[in-house]
Amino acid sequence: MSATAELDPNASNANEAGIDPSPINVDVAIIGGGPAGTTLATLLKKYRPQTSIAIFEREQFPRDHVGESLLPPIGEILDEMGCWEAIEAANFPIKIGATYRWGQSAKLWDFEFIPTENYREEARPRPRTQQSKQLSLQVDRARYDQILLERAREVGVDVRESTAVRSIECDGDRVSRMALADGRTVSARYYIDASGNAAVLRRAMGIGVDLATKLQNIAFWSYWENGEWASQFPGGATRVLIQSIGVGWIWYIPITATRTSIGLVVPSQYYKDGDRSADELYEWALQQNPLVADLIRNATRDGKTQATKDWSFIVDRMSGENWFLVGESGGFADPILSAGMTLTHVGARELAHILAEVLDNPRDERWLKESWGDTQRKRISQHIKFADFWYAANGIFTELQDYTREIARDAGMDLSSAEAFRWLATGGFTTDIPGQVGIGGLDLAGARQTMQRITNTSGNTWQISNYNRFRLRTLGAETIKVPMYVDGKVECAKCYVRGNKRLVLQGFFGILVELIKRERDLVRIMEAVTARCHADGNGINADFYQKQALQALEVMINDGWVEASLDPKRPRITLDTPVEGQIIHTNDDLNRRMAETEA
């Protein structure tokens, strides 16, 4: 059955506009020139240069966009795209972490990517040093997105701005062709929806959406000139400022030396039930936080208040016969963790590897599509649930432990409220990147310490502290293969699956499975981990290597992949979660300033 979904009825005629009306034929047609589309196009062109790719972007760049706070994994992708130098030359503020006022305590506290005492100023533009790999950026999206779009042009992608898609013609689950607003048609082997909230292809194909959360927020924002930075370090480094104000929260993100993005997120029902306009609510909210009000005392607004709904969602599926959804067209997680751009870049990078493979080897297409789509949906779901936890701790939901029980039940675990709370605190969501432990820039230790901060609790017990002998528990688990994306090639990795639990044998998980098969004693396992670190010769500190291995082992215990026991004659390793640490700690300077401002 054939159908045409009309998207833009205000189409001009190509002949009248003096445009070549002949059809456009390419291997890959991408709707949208934002980070999802340009990351995909640039990397696909890099790894399969003969691929013909066209990007159709309805706007003319540069243009403003929210989503200015990045996480460290994006730097590696920018380097892989060949645009790290151009991004560095733009001199965006270096992001070393975030400062929060959130949860059950009014105190401001910091989350750092590296201990601030270890931070060293580096001349800009920076090369890819070990420090720059651990830090991130806060970017002016108008400039950032334009750099990425120009990079796609440089590598040979046909980039067409001010070119909207008018309609999608489909035959069942297959896209037949697209029609542009100027009357031209586009035919491709694969069609990619990278159009963000517009979701051009997703809507045309009628793909269902699961809201997946009780949160339905709305965001208001504007840009300010000459706002003061709350935290400033040598070399143009700063932190994102996240401030709870009771009815919602405020973001404060310096994106250039003089320009700051300031936004307000509130429940959409709160806004609907109120009597303030968007502009009135925004201005009122900024004055409710004394620190923010003080930072913008001498600043001026640059433009009107903008708004967008900020509802987390996941699509029912990420691909069809000859189409894919990438970036926010396929799902969105609340911005409290600043993970949106990371999810976009990572998903687009992986899709570039998928397409490079299936264009040459279509026999693997079904497996690769299903694996890629399943991974993207799991990642988005994890971030939505972790964001729900943050909001629950901030009073948006009054019964925190009961709500965490709902989160655990959604993940396939029938736990009591107290058990669910402990499960979430010990890292319920730890498959963000295969082989690594963490979510939203936090490793397991950071997630536990953050939980202490936002719930004002302490004394969390690590399971690994109670045991010193370990045995693998893989009996009854299914063994599958999952794709790993390395230098333009798709490689297969072994993965155990039991119920909703997955254990990809990569990174520290792969190392531990290999070691526990040979040795059950914890001390000897950690000695082997240290030897492995030295043998790898990758410059990683052995102490850091050991801590990451212990966190991975903790996850394997909690997820039931390892059976743990205690030999009282052998030593144990005791882990704790300090309230004050090098990575997460109280910000004494800003707390003093807040107190002085309130006085």
Side-chain angles (χ1 to χ4, degrees):
M1 179 180 177
S2 297
T4 301
E6 195 76 13
L7 301 169
D8 185 358
N10 301 314
S12 60
N13 183 276
N15 288 324
E16 293 175 359
I19 299 171
D20 180 2
S22 58
I24 300 168
N25 296 292
V26 291
D27 291 321
V28 179
I30 301 173
I31 308 170
T38 51
T39 300
L40 167 60
T42 300
L43 291 177
L44 179 55
K45 199 71 177 176
K46 174 180 179 177
Y47 294 124
R48 195 176 185 274
Q50 70 271 31
T51 310
S52 57
I53 308 169
I55 290 176
F56 303 95
E57 168 55 52
R58 68 181 179 181
E59 296 189 53
Q60 184 69 40
F61 282 26
R63 51 86 179 103
D64 284 324
H65 203 286
V66 288
E68 298 107 339
S69 183
L70 311 185
L71 295 177
I74 293 177
E76 284 297 303
I77 299 175
L78 295 174
D79 192 37
E80 188 177 0
M81 293 169 66
C83 55
W84 169 260
E85 292 80 7
I87 294 294
E88 264 296 290
N91 204 34
F92 296 123
I94 296 169
K95 177 181 175 182
I96 67 169
T99 298
Y100 292 93
R101 185 184 191 184
W102 196 274
Q104 305 303 309
S105 171
K107 294 291 185 181
L108 282 80
W109 52 277
D110 298 330
F111 158 65
E112 318 283 16
F113 293 134
I114 62 173
T116 51
E117 60 264 30
N118 295 346
Y119 171 75
R120 297 293 180 269
E121 181 178 4
E122 295 178 300
R124 310 288 296 272
R126 299 169 299 166
R128 290 294 290 160
T129 61
Q130 188 63 35
Q131 177 174 273
S132 68
K133 291 177 181 179
Q134 295 176 275
L135 302 178
S136 191
L137 295 167
Q138 298 173 186
V139 299
D140 182 339
R141 284 287 300 278
R143 180 72 182 121
Y144 180 84
D145 289 9
Q146 187 173 33
I147 292 171
L148 268 57
L149 194 66
E150 289 304 319
R151 179 57 182 164
R153 277 199 179 98
E154 289 173 6
V155 299
V157 176
D158 180 7
V159 175
R160 304 182 182 224
E161 297 175 77
S162 301
T163 304
V165 174
R166 183 190 68 192
S167 63
I168 305 288
E169 188 174 315
C170 58
D171 184 3
D173 194 41
R174 185 176 187 81
V175 176
S176 302
R177 63 177 183 172
M178 303 189 312
L180 304 179
D182 60 22
R184 290 173 296 173
T185 60
V186 179
S187 296
R189 292 175 64 182
Y190 290 97
Y191 298 83
I192 313 297
D193 189 346
S195 62
N197 286 335
V200 172
L201 191 149
R202 187 192 82 206
R203 297 178 194 276
M205 300 301 290
I207 305 305
V209 168
D210 178 11
L211 293 181
T213 178
K214 294 180 178 180
L215 296 174
Q216 290 191 349
N217 293 332
I218 187 168
F220 303 98
W221 77 96
S222 189
Y223 297 97
W224 294 71
E225 287 292 331
N226 299 315
E228 184 184 349
W229 292 12
S231 301
Q232 188 159 3
F233 298 85
T238 186
R239 301 186 188 99
V240 169
L241 186 64
I242 303 294
Q243 297 286 279
S244 169
I245 60 167
V247 300
W249 60 276
I250 295 168
W251 78 67
Y252 192 98
I253 309 174
I255 56 177
T256 73
T258 62
R259 198 174 194 223
T260 301
S261 170
I262 307 178
L264 166 69
V265 178
V266 297
S268 59
Q269 199 60 47
Y270 175 83
Y271 172 61
K272 291 175 184 176
D273 292 343
D275 57 1
R276 295 186 180 95
S277 68
D279 197 62
E280 289 170 339
L281 176 60
Y282 177 76
E283 290 280 3
W284 169 84
L286 299 193
Q287 296 304 313
Q288 301 312 299
N289 184 272
L291 178 57
V292 171
D294 191 44
L295 292 172
I296 61 173
R297 182 179 49 197
N298 298 316
T300 56
R301 282 183 62 178
D302 177 18
K304 63 179 182 180
T305 301
Q306 303 181 58
T308 184
K309 69 177 184 179
D310 186 20
W311 298 355
S312 298
F313 72 92
I314 312 172
V315 293
D316 292 342
R317 57 193 176 107
M318 302 289 292
S319 66
E321 284 192 33
N322 66 337
W323 56 266
F324 293 86
L325 310 179
V326 66
E328 290 184 9
S329 68
F332 177 79
D334 191 277
I336 187 63
L337 299 176
S338 299
M341 285 285 281
T342 302
L343 292 170
T344 290
H345 276 288
V346 171
R349 175 189 180 268
E350 294 174 350
L351 182 54
H353 284 70
I354 294 288
L355 286 171
E357 185 72 21
V358 302
L359 283 165
D360 288 330
N361 302 297
R363 67 180 181 276
D364 292 330
E365 182 173 0
R366 181 175 178 181
W367 167 65
L368 289 171
K369 278 183 178 179
E370 290 178 355
S371 296
W372 177 82
D374 184 56
T375 297
Q376 308 315 312
R377 295 181 77 257
K378 276 185 169 62
R379 281 185 185 138
I380 297 166
S381 177
Q382 287 177 172
H383 282 269
I384 289 173
K385 289 182 172 71
F386 203 52
D388 283 353
F389 171 69
W390 277 68
Y391 279 94
N394 202 44
I396 299 299
F397 299 103
T398 56
E399 299 297 332
L400 174 59
Q401 290 198 349
D402 286 343
Y403 187 63
T404 55
R405 185 179 185 184
E406 290 183 36
I407 295 173
R409 189 180 298 117
D410 287 343
M413 303 180 71
D414 187 13
L415 304 176
S416 70
S417 296
E419 290 169 337
F421 191 77
R422 184 189 62 77
W423 165 77
L424 187 58
T426 55
F429 318 118
T430 49
T431 56
D432 226 18
I433 299 174
Q436 296 185 28
V437 179
I439 181 171
L442 295 167
D443 63 8
L444 181 56
R448 292 172 62 96
Q449 208 173 358
T450 298
M451 186 279 293
Q452 288 186 161
R453 282 281 169 178
I454 64 180
T455 60
N456 202 26
T457 60
S458 60
N460 296 302
T461 302
W462 289 72
Q463 292 295 304
I464 201 170
S465 297
N466 300 318
Y467 309 108
N468 56 16
R469 289 187 62 79
F470 306 96
R471 183 170 66 89
L472 288 177
R473 293 186 65 243
T474 58
L475 186 65
E478 180 186 1
T479 302
I480 64 171
K481 61 178 183 178
V482 294
M484 303 296 291
Y485 310 99
V486 183
D487 297 331
K489 301 294 183 183
V490 177
E491 300 178 355
C492 294
K494 185 177 179 181
C495 177
Y496 292 129
V497 179
R498 184 192 291 125
N500 71 315
K501 296 295 183 182
R502 292 160 60 95
L503 182 65
V504 181
L505 303 191
Q506 289 289 304
F508 286 104
F509 296 117
I511 292 171
L512 287 169
V513 167
E514 175 188 322
L515 293 177
I516 294 173
K517 285 180 178 178
R518 303 198 307 262
E519 178 57 66
R520 294 187 179 184
D521 182 79
L522 178 59
V523 172
R524 295 192 182 104
I525 290 171
M526 295 313 297
E527 288 173 349
V529 166
T530 303
R532 180 70 173 264
C533 176
H534 294 318
D536 286 347
N538 53 19
I540 297 177
N541 179 275
D543 181 59
F544 173 82
Y545 208 85
Q546 288 182 348
K547 288 178 179 177
Q548 295 301 306
L550 287 169
Q551 291 183 67
L553 185 55
E554 177 82 3
V555 170
M556 293 168 70
I557 295 170
N558 280 303
D559 284 355
W561 296 112
V562 168
E563 181 181 287
S565 60
L566 174 64
D567 180 351
K569 297 179 181 179
R570 295 290 296 162
R572 287 180 285 171
I573 296 177
T574 302
L575 300 181
D576 61 8
T577 307
V579 175
E580 296 289 337
Q582 286 186 305
I583 300 299
I584 296 178
H585 50 80
T586 302
N587 189 317
D588 293 327
D589 291 339
L590 284 181
N591 279 309
R592 280 193 294 269
R593 178 169 178 174
M594 176 76 86
E596 292 169 0
T597 304
E598 289 176 330

